[in-house]
PDB file of all heavy atoms in Angstrom:
ATOM      1  N   ALA B 118     -13.670 -10.248  31.992  1.00  0.00           N
ATOM      2  CA  ALA B 118     -15.052  -9.950  32.201  1.00  0.00           C
ATOM      3  C   ALA B 118     -15.730 -11.264  32.424  1.00  0.00           C
ATOM      4  O   ALA B 118     -16.702 -11.394  33.256  1.00  0.00           O
ATOM      5  CB  ALA B 118     -15.645  -9.084  31.082  1.00  0.00           C
ATOM      6  N   VAL B 119     -15.407 -12.285  31.516  1.00  0.00           N
ATOM      7  CA  VAL B 119     -16.014 -13.655  31.617  1.00  0.00           C
ATOM      8  C   VAL B 119     -15.790 -14.190  33.100  1.00  0.00           C
ATOM      9  O   VAL B 119     -16.633 -14.684  33.777  1.00  0.00           O
ATOM     10  CB  VAL B 119     -15.481 -14.584  30.589  1.00  0.00           C
ATOM     11  CG1 VAL B 119     -15.934 -15.986  30.820  1.00  0.00           C
ATOM     12  CG2 VAL B 119     -15.842 -14.058  29.282  1.00  0.00           C
ATOM     13  N   THR B 120     -14.433 -14.087  33.448  1.00  0.00           N
ATOM     14  CA  THR B 120     -14.097 -14.477  34.767  1.00  0.00           C
ATOM     15  C   THR B 120     -14.841 -13.849  35.878  1.00  0.00           C
ATOM     16  O   THR B 120     -15.393 -14.489  36.860  1.00  0.00           O
ATOM     17  CB  THR B 120     -12.631 -14.200  35.045  1.00  0.00           C
ATOM     18  OG1 THR B 120     -11.881 -14.924  33.975  1.00  0.00           O
ATOM     19  CG2 THR B 120     -12.091 -14.656  36.336  1.00  0.00           C
ATOM     20  N   ALA B 121     -15.021 -12.603  35.778  1.00  0.00           N
ATOM     21  CA  ALA B 121     -15.739 -11.779  36.674  1.00  0.00           C
ATOM     22  C   ALA B 121     -17.367 -12.320  36.754  1.00  0.00           C
ATOM     23  O   ALA B 121     -17.861 -12.469  37.910  1.00  0.00           O
ATOM     24  CB  ALA B 121     -15.754 -10.353  36.324  1.00  0.00           C
ATOM     25  N   ALA B 122     -17.812 -12.522  35.642  1.00  0.00           N
ATOM     26  CA  ALA B 122     -19.268 -12.981  35.591  1.00  0.00           C
ATOM     27  C   ALA B 122     -19.442 -14.241  36.438  1.00  0.00           C
ATOM     28  O   ALA B 122     -20.335 -14.354  37.262  1.00  0.00           O
ATOM     29  CB  ALA B 122     -19.755 -13.071  34.204  1.00  0.00           C
ATOM     30  N   ILE B 123     -18.592 -15.222  36.189  1.00  0.00           N
ATOM     31  CA  ILE B 123     -18.663 -16.456  36.829  1.00  0.00           C
ATOM     32  C   ILE B 123     -18.262 -16.278  38.348  1.00  0.00           C
ATOM     33  O   ILE B 123     -19.123 -16.853  39.132  1.00  0.00           O
ATOM     34  CB  ILE B 123     -17.783 -17.547  36.259  1.00  0.00           C
ATOM     35  CG1 ILE B 123     -17.923 -17.653  34.742  1.00  0.00           C
ATOM     36  CG2 ILE B 123     -17.947 -18.859  36.921  1.00  0.00           C
ATOM     37  CD1 ILE B 123     -19.191 -18.356  34.312  1.00  0.00           C
ATOM     38  N   SER B 124     -17.299 -15.613  38.636  1.00  0.00           N
ATOM     39  CA  SER B 124     -16.799 -15.615  40.053  1.00  0.00           C
ATOM     40  C   SER B 124     -17.726 -14.700  40.916  1.00  0.00           C
ATOM     41  O   SER B 124     -17.776 -14.951  42.136  1.00  0.00           O
ATOM     42  CB  SER B 124     -15.292 -15.216  40.111  1.00  0.00           C
ATOM     43  OG  SER B 124     -15.201 -13.977  39.592  1.00  0.00           O
ATOM     44  N   VAL B 125     -18.443 -13.919  40.323  1.00  0.00           N
ATOM     45  CA  VAL B 125     -19.238 -12.890  41.187  1.00  0.00           C
ATOM     46  C   VAL B 125     -20.707 -13.514  41.142  1.00  0.00           C
ATOM     47  O   VAL B 125     -21.320 -13.689  42.326  1.00  0.00           O
ATOM     48  CB  VAL B 125     -19.306 -11.515  40.479  1.00  0.00           C
ATOM     49  CG1 VAL B 125     -20.454 -10.714  41.206  1.00  0.00           C
ATOM     50  CG2 VAL B 125     -17.968 -10.831  40.736  1.00  0.00           C
ATOM     51  N   LEU B 126     -21.238 -14.004  40.102  1.00  0.00           N
ATOM     52  CA  LEU B 126     -22.488 -14.586  40.164  1.00  0.00           C
ATOM     53  C   LEU B 126     -22.529 -15.962  40.805  1.00  0.00           C
ATOM     54  O   LEU B 126     -23.564 -16.451  41.371  1.00  0.00           O
ATOM     55  CB  LEU B 126     -23.172 -14.721  38.774  1.00  0.00           C
ATOM     56  CG  LEU B 126     -23.406 -13.305  38.002  1.00  0.00           C
ATOM     57  CD1 LEU B 126     -23.944 -13.629  36.599  1.00  0.00           C
ATOM     58  CD2 LEU B 126     -24.448 -12.499  38.821  1.00  0.00           C
ATOM     59  N   ARG B 127     -21.395 -16.713  40.786  1.00  0.00           N
ATOM     60  CA  ARG B 127     -21.182 -17.940  41.362  1.00  0.00           C
ATOM     61  C   ARG B 127     -22.350 -18.981  41.072  1.00  0.00           C
ATOM     62  O   ARG B 127     -23.013 -19.527  42.020  1.00  0.00           O
ATOM     63  CB  ARG B 127     -21.057 -17.880  42.832  1.00  0.00           C
ATOM     64  CG  ARG B 127     -19.605 -17.450  43.100  1.00  0.00           C
ATOM     65  CD  ARG B 127     -19.262 -17.543  44.626  1.00  0.00           C
ATOM     66  NE  ARG B 127     -19.912 -16.518  45.238  1.00  0.00           N
ATOM     67  CZ  ARG B 127     -20.313 -16.648  46.501  1.00  0.00           C
ATOM     68  NH1 ARG B 127     -20.080 -17.582  47.194  1.00  0.00           N
ATOM     69  NH2 ARG B 127     -20.957 -15.649  47.032  1.00  0.00           N
ATOM     70  N   PRO B 128     -22.762 -19.168  39.810  1.00  0.00           N
ATOM     71  CA  PRO B 128     -23.824 -20.057  39.466  1.00  0.00           C
ATOM     72  C   PRO B 128     -23.415 -21.470  39.699  1.00  0.00           C
ATOM     73  O   PRO B 128     -22.146 -21.795  39.680  1.00  0.00           O
ATOM     74  CB  PRO B 128     -23.989 -19.917  37.979  1.00  0.00           C
ATOM     75  CG  PRO B 128     -22.709 -19.456  37.491  1.00  0.00           C
ATOM     76  CD  PRO B 128     -22.050 -18.688  38.518  1.00  0.00           C
ATOM     77  N   ARG B 129     -24.265 -22.400  40.006  1.00  0.00           N
ATOM     78  CA  ARG B 129     -23.953 -23.861  40.303  1.00  0.00           C
ATOM     79  C   ARG B 129     -23.714 -24.476  38.884  1.00  0.00           C
ATOM     80  O   ARG B 129     -22.810 -25.294  38.703  1.00  0.00           O
ATOM     81  CB  ARG B 129     -25.095 -24.453  40.963  1.00  0.00           C
ATOM     82  CG  ARG B 129     -24.669 -25.821  41.721  1.00  0.00           C
ATOM     83  CD  ARG B 129     -25.896 -26.242  42.617  1.00  0.00           C
ATOM     84  NE  ARG B 129     -27.097 -26.275  41.995  1.00  0.00           N
ATOM     85  CZ  ARG B 129     -27.607 -27.261  41.122  1.00  0.00           C
ATOM     86  NH1 ARG B 129     -26.806 -28.336  40.923  1.00  0.00           N
ATOM     87  NH2 ARG B 129     -28.771 -27.153  40.530  1.00  0.00           N
ATOM     88  N   ARG B 130     -24.522 -23.987  37.923  1.00  0.00           N
ATOM     89  CA  ARG B 130     -24.394 -24.501  36.590  1.00  0.00           C
ATOM     90  C   ARG B 130     -24.388 -23.367  35.512  1.00  0.00           C
ATOM     91  O   ARG B 130     -25.122 -22.404  35.711  1.00  0.00           O
ATOM     92  CB  ARG B 130     -25.579 -25.399  36.364  1.00  0.00           C
ATOM     93  CG  ARG B 130     -25.727 -26.570  37.435  1.00  0.00           C
ATOM     94  CD  ARG B 130     -26.737 -27.679  36.976  1.00  0.00           C
ATOM     95  NE  ARG B 130     -28.034 -27.129  36.522  1.00  0.00           N
ATOM     96  CZ  ARG B 130     -28.932 -27.849  35.849  1.00  0.00           C
ATOM     97  NH1 ARG B 130     -28.522 -29.023  35.524  1.00  0.00           N
ATOM     98  NH2 ARG B 130     -29.962 -27.254  35.415  1.00  0.00           N
ATOM     99  N   VAL B 131     -23.687 -23.548  34.538  1.00  0.00           N
ATOM    100  CA  VAL B 131     -23.734 -22.730  33.213  1.00  0.00           C
ATOM    101  C   VAL B 131     -24.361 -23.432  32.056  1.00  0.00           C
ATOM    102  O   VAL B 131     -23.763 -24.593  31.812  1.00  0.00           O
ATOM    103  CB  VAL B 131     -22.405 -22.179  32.902  1.00  0.00           C
ATOM    104  CG1 VAL B 131     -22.390 -21.393  31.598  1.00  0.00           C
ATOM    105  CG2 VAL B 131     -21.822 -21.080  34.038  1.00  0.00           C
ATOM    106  N   ALA B 132     -25.427 -22.898  31.528  1.00  0.00           N
ATOM    107  CA  ALA B 132     -26.079 -23.648  30.408  1.00  0.00           C
ATOM    108  C   ALA B 132     -25.532 -23.021  29.182  1.00  0.00           C
ATOM    109  O   ALA B 132     -25.804 -21.944  28.904  1.00  0.00           O
ATOM    110  CB  ALA B 132     -27.563 -23.613  30.518  1.00  0.00           C
ATOM    111  N   ILE B 133     -24.785 -23.660  28.394  1.00  0.00           N
ATOM    112  CA  ILE B 133     -24.052 -23.085  27.182  1.00  0.00           C
ATOM    113  C   ILE B 133     -24.049 -24.083  26.119  1.00  0.00           C
ATOM    114  O   ILE B 133     -23.896 -25.283  26.278  1.00  0.00           O
ATOM    115  CB  ILE B 133     -22.782 -22.501  27.595  1.00  0.00           C
ATOM    116  CG1 ILE B 133     -22.189 -21.752  26.398  1.00  0.00           C
ATOM    117  CG2 ILE B 133     -21.849 -23.636  28.184  1.00  0.00           C
ATOM    118  CD1 ILE B 133     -20.845 -20.908  26.807  1.00  0.00           C
ATOM    119  N   ALA B 134     -24.290 -23.615  24.793  1.00  0.00           N
ATOM    120  CA  ALA B 134     -24.111 -24.467  23.689  1.00  0.00           C
ATOM    121  C   ALA B 134     -22.616 -24.660  23.429  1.00  0.00           C
ATOM    122  O   ALA B 134     -21.808 -23.968  23.815  1.00  0.00           O
ATOM    123  CB  ALA B 134     -24.795 -23.819  22.497  1.00  0.00           C
ATOM    124  N   LYS B 135     -22.429 -25.691  22.524  1.00  0.00           N
ATOM    125  CA  LYS B 135     -21.035 -25.927  22.123  1.00  0.00           C
ATOM    126  C   LYS B 135     -20.694 -24.832  21.052  1.00  0.00           C
ATOM    127  O   LYS B 135     -21.614 -24.199  20.537  1.00  0.00           O
ATOM    128  CB  LYS B 135     -20.865 -27.339  21.629  1.00  0.00           C
ATOM    129  CG  LYS B 135     -20.758 -28.494  22.579  1.00  0.00           C
ATOM    130  CD  LYS B 135     -20.388 -29.748  21.716  1.00  0.00           C
ATOM    131  CE  LYS B 135     -19.919 -30.792  22.695  1.00  0.00           C
ATOM    132  NZ  LYS B 135     -20.856 -31.184  23.802  1.00  0.00           N
ATOM    133  N   GLY B 136     -19.397 -24.727  20.923  1.00  0.00           N
ATOM    134  CA  GLY B 136     -18.997 -23.764  19.743  1.00  0.00           C
ATOM    135  C   GLY B 136     -18.903 -22.376  20.296  1.00  0.00           C
ATOM    136  O   GLY B 136     -18.903 -21.940  21.460  1.00  0.00           O
ATOM    137  N   GLY B 137     -18.880 -21.400  19.336  1.00  0.00           N
ATOM    138  CA  GLY B 137     -18.815 -19.944  19.637  1.00  0.00           C
ATOM    139  C   GLY B 137     -17.342 -19.742  20.040  1.00  0.00           C
ATOM    140  O   GLY B 137     -16.367 -20.495  19.603  1.00  0.00           O
ATOM    141  N   TYR B 138     -17.064 -18.600  20.616  1.00  0.00           N
ATOM    142  CA  TYR B 138     -15.631 -18.280  20.852  1.00  0.00           C
ATOM    143  C   TYR B 138     -15.003 -19.162  21.828  1.00  0.00           C
ATOM    144  O   TYR B 138     -15.527 -19.326  23.016  1.00  0.00           O
ATOM    145  CB  TYR B 138     -15.600 -16.809  21.432  1.00  0.00           C
ATOM    146  CG  TYR B 138     -14.113 -16.359  21.820  1.00  0.00           C
ATOM    147  CD1 TYR B 138     -13.227 -16.557  20.895  1.00  0.00           C
ATOM    148  CD2 TYR B 138     -13.964 -15.704  22.974  1.00  0.00           C
ATOM    149  CE1 TYR B 138     -11.840 -16.253  21.166  1.00  0.00           C
ATOM    150  CE2 TYR B 138     -12.616 -15.353  23.267  1.00  0.00           C
ATOM    151  CZ  TYR B 138     -11.564 -15.591  22.418  1.00  0.00           C
ATOM    152  OH  TYR B 138     -10.235 -15.273  22.690  1.00  0.00           O
ATOM    153  N   PHE B 139     -13.927 -19.730  21.486  1.00  0.00           N
ATOM    154  CA  PHE B 139     -13.267 -20.842  22.227  1.00  0.00           C
ATOM    155  C   PHE B 139     -12.721 -20.274  23.588  1.00  0.00           C
ATOM    156  O   PHE B 139     -12.617 -20.973  24.566  1.00  0.00           O
ATOM    157  CB  PHE B 139     -12.255 -21.589  21.529  1.00  0.00           C
ATOM    158  CG  PHE B 139     -11.116 -20.753  20.933  1.00  0.00           C
ATOM    159  CD1 PHE B 139     -10.060 -20.479  21.801  1.00  0.00           C
ATOM    160  CD2 PHE B 139     -11.159 -20.260  19.619  1.00  0.00           C
ATOM    161  CE1 PHE B 139      -9.019 -19.645  21.445  1.00  0.00           C
ATOM    162  CE2 PHE B 139     -10.042 -19.302  19.342  1.00  0.00           C
ATOM    163  CZ  PHE B 139      -9.019 -18.959  20.105  1.00  0.00           C
ATOM    164  N   GLY B 140     -12.287 -19.001  23.485  1.00  0.00           N
ATOM    165  CA  GLY B 140     -11.752 -18.519  24.742  1.00  0.00           C
ATOM    166  C   GLY B 140     -12.765 -18.384  25.905  1.00  0.00           C
ATOM    167  O   GLY B 140     -12.408 -18.648  27.033  1.00  0.00           O
ATOM    168  N   CYS B 141     -14.018 -17.984  25.499  1.00  0.00           N
ATOM    169  CA  CYS B 141     -15.067 -18.039  26.692  1.00  0.00           C
ATOM    170  C   CYS B 141     -15.274 -19.434  27.172  1.00  0.00           C
ATOM    171  O   CYS B 141     -15.307 -19.759  28.394  1.00  0.00           O
ATOM    172  CB  CYS B 141     -16.382 -17.575  26.018  1.00  0.00           C
ATOM    173  SG  CYS B 141     -16.395 -15.826  25.826  1.00  0.00           S
ATOM    174  N   GLN B 142     -15.288 -20.408  26.293  1.00  0.00           N
ATOM    175  CA  GLN B 142     -15.500 -21.882  26.738  1.00  0.00           C
ATOM    176  C   GLN B 142     -14.403 -22.177  27.612  1.00  0.00           C
ATOM    177  O   GLN B 142     -14.477 -22.806  28.697  1.00  0.00           O
ATOM    178  CB  GLN B 142     -15.502 -22.770  25.540  1.00  0.00           C
ATOM    179  CG  GLN B 142     -16.656 -22.556  24.454  1.00  0.00           C
ATOM    180  CD  GLN B 142     -17.985 -23.091  24.939  1.00  0.00           C
ATOM    181  OE1 GLN B 142     -18.011 -23.704  26.034  1.00  0.00           O
ATOM    182  NE2 GLN B 142     -18.987 -22.984  24.137  1.00  0.00           N
ATOM    183  N   ALA B 143     -13.072 -21.790  27.247  1.00  0.00           N
ATOM    184  CA  ALA B 143     -11.919 -22.192  28.048  1.00  0.00           C
ATOM    185  C   ALA B 143     -12.006 -21.608  29.367  1.00  0.00           C
ATOM    186  O   ALA B 143     -11.633 -22.136  30.514  1.00  0.00           O
ATOM    187  CB  ALA B 143     -10.654 -21.831  27.334  1.00  0.00           C
ATOM    188  N   THR B 144     -12.431 -20.339  29.498  1.00  0.00           N
ATOM    189  CA  THR B 144     -12.432 -19.613  30.809  1.00  0.00           C
ATOM    190  C   THR B 144     -13.581 -20.308  31.698  1.00  0.00           C
ATOM    191  O   THR B 144     -13.319 -20.450  32.991  1.00  0.00           O
ATOM    192  CB  THR B 144     -12.830 -18.164  30.571  1.00  0.00           C
ATOM    193  OG1 THR B 144     -11.772 -17.664  29.727  1.00  0.00           O
ATOM    194  CG2 THR B 144     -12.855 -17.358  31.939  1.00  0.00           C
ATOM    195  N   ILE B 145     -14.707 -20.638  31.085  1.00  0.00           N
ATOM    196  CA  ILE B 145     -15.790 -21.293  31.882  1.00  0.00           C
ATOM    197  C   ILE B 145     -15.216 -22.662  32.413  1.00  0.00           C
ATOM    198  O   ILE B 145     -15.465 -22.970  33.581  1.00  0.00           O
ATOM    199  CB  ILE B 145     -17.107 -21.421  31.070  1.00  0.00           C
ATOM    200  CG1 ILE B 145     -17.648 -19.976  30.730  1.00  0.00           C
ATOM    201  CG2 ILE B 145     -18.093 -22.300  31.770  1.00  0.00           C
ATOM    202  CD1 ILE B 145     -18.668 -19.890  29.696  1.00  0.00           C
ATOM    203  N   ASP B 146     -14.580 -23.347  31.497  1.00  0.00           N
ATOM    204  CA  ASP B 146     -14.062 -24.724  31.716  1.00  0.00           C
ATOM    205  C   ASP B 146     -13.127 -24.628  33.029  1.00  0.00           C
ATOM    206  O   ASP B 146     -12.947 -25.497  33.804  1.00  0.00           O
ATOM    207  CB  ASP B 146     -13.336 -25.261  30.643  1.00  0.00           C
ATOM    208  CG  ASP B 146     -14.131 -25.838  29.429  1.00  0.00           C
ATOM    209  OD1 ASP B 146     -15.407 -25.916  29.789  1.00  0.00           O
ATOM    210  OD2 ASP B 146     -13.764 -25.953  28.372  1.00  0.00           O
ATOM    211  N   ALA B 147     -12.394 -23.415  33.120  1.00  0.00           N
ATOM    212  CA  ALA B 147     -11.445 -23.319  34.178  1.00  0.00           C
ATOM    213  C   ALA B 147     -12.127 -23.321  35.560  1.00  0.00           C
ATOM    214  O   ALA B 147     -11.468 -23.575  36.563  1.00  0.00           O
ATOM    215  CB  ALA B 147     -10.598 -22.018  33.930  1.00  0.00           C
ATOM    216  N   PHE B 148     -13.443 -23.051  35.551  1.00  0.00           N
ATOM    217  CA  PHE B 148     -14.077 -23.157  36.927  1.00  0.00           C
ATOM    218  C   PHE B 148     -14.633 -24.484  37.172  1.00  0.00           C
ATOM    219  O   PHE B 148     -15.139 -24.669  38.273  1.00  0.00           O
ATOM    220  CB  PHE B 148     -15.279 -22.057  36.823  1.00  0.00           C
ATOM    221  CG  PHE B 148     -14.755 -20.565  37.051  1.00  0.00           C
ATOM    222  CD1 PHE B 148     -14.367 -19.901  35.985  1.00  0.00           C
ATOM    223  CD2 PHE B 148     -14.663 -20.035  38.323  1.00  0.00           C
ATOM    224  CE1 PHE B 148     -13.869 -18.574  36.065  1.00  0.00           C
ATOM    225  CE2 PHE B 148     -14.185 -18.788  38.451  1.00  0.00           C
ATOM    226  CZ  PHE B 148     -13.836 -17.967  37.337  1.00  0.00           C
ATOM    227  N   VAL B 149     -14.617 -25.421  36.336  1.00  0.00           N
ATOM    228  CA  VAL B 149     -15.248 -26.711  36.483  1.00  0.00           C
ATOM    229  C   VAL B 149     -14.544 -27.418  37.715  1.00  0.00           C
ATOM    230  O   VAL B 149     -15.160 -27.962  38.582  1.00  0.00           O
ATOM    231  CB  VAL B 149     -15.284 -27.514  35.129  1.00  0.00           C
ATOM    232  CG1 VAL B 149     -15.596 -28.980  35.501  1.00  0.00           C
ATOM    233  CG2 VAL B 149     -16.108 -26.985  34.153  1.00  0.00           C
ATOM    234  N   PRO B 150     -13.237 -27.385  37.788  1.00  0.00           N
ATOM    235  CA  PRO B 150     -12.522 -27.970  38.931  1.00  0.00           C
ATOM    236  C   PRO B 150     -12.985 -27.386  40.244  1.00  0.00           C
ATOM    237  O   PRO B 150     -12.712 -28.009  41.395  1.00  0.00           O
ATOM    238  CB  PRO B 150     -11.029 -27.766  38.728  1.00  0.00           C
ATOM    239  CG  PRO B 150     -10.840 -27.491  37.257  1.00  0.00           C
ATOM    240  CD  PRO B 150     -12.266 -26.831  36.777  1.00  0.00           C
ATOM    241  N   TRP B 151     -13.488 -26.105  40.197  1.00  0.00           N
ATOM    242  CA  TRP B 151     -13.986 -25.462  41.475  1.00  0.00           C
ATOM    243  C   TRP B 151     -15.361 -25.877  41.675  1.00  0.00           C
ATOM    244  O   TRP B 151     -16.051 -25.210  42.604  1.00  0.00           O
ATOM    245  CB  TRP B 151     -13.797 -24.019  41.322  1.00  0.00           C
ATOM    246  CG  TRP B 151     -12.267 -23.549  41.095  1.00  0.00           C
ATOM    247  CD1 TRP B 151     -11.587 -23.780  39.972  1.00  0.00           C
ATOM    248  CD2 TRP B 151     -11.512 -23.075  42.007  1.00  0.00           C
ATOM    249  NE1 TRP B 151     -10.330 -23.305  40.163  1.00  0.00           N
ATOM    250  CE2 TRP B 151     -10.282 -22.755  41.416  1.00  0.00           C
ATOM    251  CE3 TRP B 151     -11.576 -22.629  43.396  1.00  0.00           C
ATOM    252  CZ2 TRP B 151      -9.034 -22.290  42.106  1.00  0.00           C
ATOM    253  CZ3 TRP B 151     -10.520 -22.096  44.076  1.00  0.00           C
ATOM    254  CH2 TRP B 151      -9.197 -21.960  43.392  1.00  0.00           C
ATOM    255  N   GLY B 152     -16.043 -26.717  40.937  1.00  0.00           N
ATOM    256  CA  GLY B 152     -17.460 -27.121  41.286  1.00  0.00           C
ATOM    257  C   GLY B 152     -18.420 -26.607  40.308  1.00  0.00           C
ATOM    258  O   GLY B 152     -19.659 -26.925  40.558  1.00  0.00           O
TER     259      GLY B 152
END
Side-chain angles (χ1 to χ4, degrees):
Chain B
V119 173
T120 302
I123 305 286
S124 60
V125 170
L126 296 177
R127 281 186 292 149
R129 201 170 48 84
R130 307 192 311 162
V131 170
I133 184 170
K135 281 193 168 52
Y138 178 47
F139 61 85
C141 286
Q142 298 279 5
T144 303
I145 295 165
D146 289 344
F148 283 88
V149 171
W151 299 75

